[in-house]
Amino acid sequence: MDLQGRIASRQGEFLLFALTPPRSSTTPESAQEIADVTARRLEPLGLDGLILYDIDDEGDRNPEERPFPFLPTMDPADYLEGHLKSWRTPVVVYRATSKYTEEELRDWVGSQDPSRRMAVFVGAPSRERPVATTLRRAQQLRAELAPDLLLGAVAIPERHTRKGDEHLGLIAKQEAGCSYFVTQVVYDVNAAKNLVSDYSYECRDRGLDPLPIAFTLSVCGSMKTLQFLRWLGVHVPRWIENDLRHADDTLDASLQQAEATALELISFCRHLGVPFGINVESVSIRKVEIEASVRLAARLRRELTR
């Protein structure tokens, strides 16, 4: 069964790999070279789908200095159509809806082939950000123009820890037409399990079938990368920071930790009967971190095919 079939039938056990497009200053020739290398690197993994992120400057969400400078990237839809069009699995394209006019979103949504494309809509990173199209309006456009285009939404375990109601937000997004969720990077496994548990039992109380949740895992090759994750709002437990800080090989220790987190979430979701997927995120430009992400995906592929 393909990815759309698994999600539409509310099954799980799928593997995704997430990328950011090249920088917007990248020449077409270099962008094609990057796409070709990416395709060769990921082909052996047996992925069920690919995710392309839509990067937005989140500086107005966090007043602290950004550990890494914001560098605009190519539009993921343009990168896909111009350089990765021959990719064989379904591709999930993120759309930061606040950046696009309603006309631009109409054109994109209406031109998508639901058998090859899926979407995740993301709202503005802060209330201060000027909004061209609201998340709710973007959801309405998808329902009007392309009801067969599977739409996903973001799930944030840390927000559930702070506010305790993220599971209700997931249900609201489910009722608005979303078919699956993709989490922010998970380092705090207990926060993710709390969210899944509350969502599962709330669905049971309401007579709803839970939607698939794709848990995002990422490797961390340096303490500066860890600092950046924190800047983005990812909660990294102190014990994990200590392990990474004192490890002989930070990257290998991070890979081991990410694998352990994924295995714990897989076991927990199977226990609760919540459909799930695994999304391995690779947004670094460092070759060693990219290769470590590929190794993580290969290990988790084996677990999902048992």
Side-chain angles (χ1 to χ4, degrees):
M1 186 181 296
D2 63 15
L3 180 61
Q4 287 96 331
R6 286 180 177 272
I7 289 175
S9 61
R10 303 192 177 180
Q11 299 182 44
E13 311 257 341
F14 52 82
L15 179 65
L16 309 174
F17 200 94
L19 307 164
T20 53
R23 297 173 186 174
S24 56
S25 58
T26 306
T27 66
E29 294 77 16
S30 294
Q32 189 58 57
E33 290 177 9
I34 292 169
D36 292 342
V37 169
T38 297
R40 288 195 296 270
R41 181 180 283 130
L42 300 183
E43 181 67 28
L45 295 177
L47 298 172
D48 296 297
L50 188 70
I51 290 180
L52 291 178
Y53 288 139
D54 193 4
I55 301 300
D56 200 2
D57 184 1
E58 299 185 64
D60 52 2
R61 182 184 61 82
N62 189 339
E64 297 181 6
E65 183 179 357
R66 202 178 197 273
F68 295 105
F70 173 71
L71 298 173
T73 60
M74 297 174 63
D75 183 292
D78 293 343
Y79 180 58
L80 174 60
E81 294 303 319
H83 304 285
L84 276 173
K85 197 169 186 177
S86 61
W87 180 261
R88 287 185 286 182
T89 71
V91 179
V92 180
V93 179
Y94 270 53
R95 299 272 79 180
T97 64
S98 63
K99 297 197 308 185
Y100 304 100
T101 66
E102 184 170 320
E103 182 178 358
E104 288 172 328
L105 284 174
R106 279 182 176 275
D107 289 345
W108 183 78
V109 169
S111 66
Q112 299 310 295
D113 178 357
S115 69
R116 302 180 63 239
R117 302 288 180 260
M118 296 162 58
V120 169
F121 288 166
V122 183
S126 75
R127 294 181 179 179
E128 289 73 31
R129 174 66 60 88
V131 174
T133 306
T134 66
L135 179 59
R136 183 178 296 275
R137 180 56 183 151
Q139 292 169 342
Q140 292 171 344
L141 288 174
R142 196 279 314 180
E144 294 168 8
L145 300 171
D148 293 333
L149 178 68
L150 292 184
L151 178 64
V154 174
I156 303 180
E158 285 85 352
R159 191 159 59 195
H160 192 59
T161 299
R162 293 193 308 270
K163 298 182 176 181
D165 61 356
E166 181 75 356
H167 64 303
L168 301 180
L170 299 189
I171 288 177
K173 293 172 182 177
Q174 184 170 343
E175 292 173 341
C178 290
S179 299
Y180 61 100
F181 304 109
V182 182
T183 73
Q184 183 173 262
V185 174
V186 175
Y187 272 77
D188 187 344
V189 69
N190 287 327
K193 289 169 72 173
N194 287 339
L195 174 57
V196 173
S197 177
D198 287 345
Y199 173 64
S200 173
Y201 288 111
E202 187 71 26
C203 283
R204 185 178 302 182
D205 290 345
R206 297 188 185 208
L208 300 173
D209 292 326
L211 302 182
I213 302 174
F215 298 98
T216 301
L217 285 305
S218 178
V219 298
C220 172
S222 70
M223 299 312 295
K224 189 172 183 180
T225 300
L226 194 69
Q227 181 185 357
F228 182 53
L229 288 170
R230 282 213 171 99
W231 186 90
L232 290 171
V234 177
H235 176 240
V236 181
R238 177 65 61 83
W239 70 267
I240 293 179
E241 178 180 352
N242 286 340
D243 277 359
L244 299 184
R245 186 181 301 278
H246 298 286
D248 293 332
D249 185 329
T250 299
L251 183 58
D252 185 65
S254 175
L255 191 156
Q256 300 294 336
Q257 182 274 327
E259 182 180 12
T261 295
L263 295 178
E264 187 168 347
L265 289 170
I266 288 170
S267 177
F268 188 67
C269 287
R270 286 172 175 167
H271 166 70
L272 283 180
V274 173
F276 68 90
I278 296 296
N279 173 40
V280 176
E281 176 181 289
S282 178
V283 297
S284 173
I285 61 173
R286 297 179 63 211
K287 185 178 180 181
V288 291
E289 291 189 357
I290 296 171
E291 291 175 344
S293 297
V294 172
R295 291 198 300 276
L296 174 61
R299 293 182 186 183
L300 297 177
R301 172 81 282 170
R302 290 193 290 270
E303 175 63 28
L304 293 173
T305 54
R306 287 183 180 177

